[in-house]
Amino acid sequence: SWVTIGHPSVVEVMAQAGFDWLAVDMEHSVIDFHAAQTLIATIQAQGLVPLVRVSENHPKIIQRVMDAGASGVIVPMVNSKIEAEQAVKSVKYPPKGKRGVGLARAQGYGLKFEEYAAHVNDESVVIVQIEHIDAVDHLEEIVSTEGVDGVMVGPYDLSGSLGCPGQFDRPSVLAALSRVETVCRGAEMPLG
């Protein structure tokens, strides 16, 4: 589920509800980096997987939430293979990516860097959001991008890109959603 209120008690309540993972939403909330790190730590303390929906597909933003201890990111508005590759490279260390090395919370402030680096490239999660008709048109390329672990549809933005925001029963929106489902199933790509 999504965390849009930046208070650790919200995470504790949601953890009791039985979720496996929680996503801290930094795109459509007022949660900043400091609050995100606190929420990530609280999610982990509750035994859940912390993901962060970043505000944009930018290496510095992604690096900061990963350094704060996120297990992965949900990246909005990924419309092409190049943008999918950028998201993956921002999460992964070389040689799989281009993420800079920091010694923050995720790396035990330097004391656990080797341990963190040994698993982050293989265990971190990159979920791309399909929120525009351009993404639907390039979907096969996006889902075939090495390192993309899942897809989430952003139905409001997708319908908006078709000129009918929030009108999910329109034939153009239904066709786009159907295409996303068909392509993801065919690629055995997890879809939300």
Side-chain angles (χ1 to χ4, degrees), residues 110-125:
L111 299 174
K112 296 182 180 179
F113 175 74
E114 306 272 328
E115 179 182 328
Y116 178 76
H119 73 81
V120 69
N121 278 358
D122 294 325
E123 295 180 16
S124 56
V125 176

Side-chain angles (χ1 to χ4, degrees), residues 1 29 63:
S1 188
S29 76
Q63 177 178 297

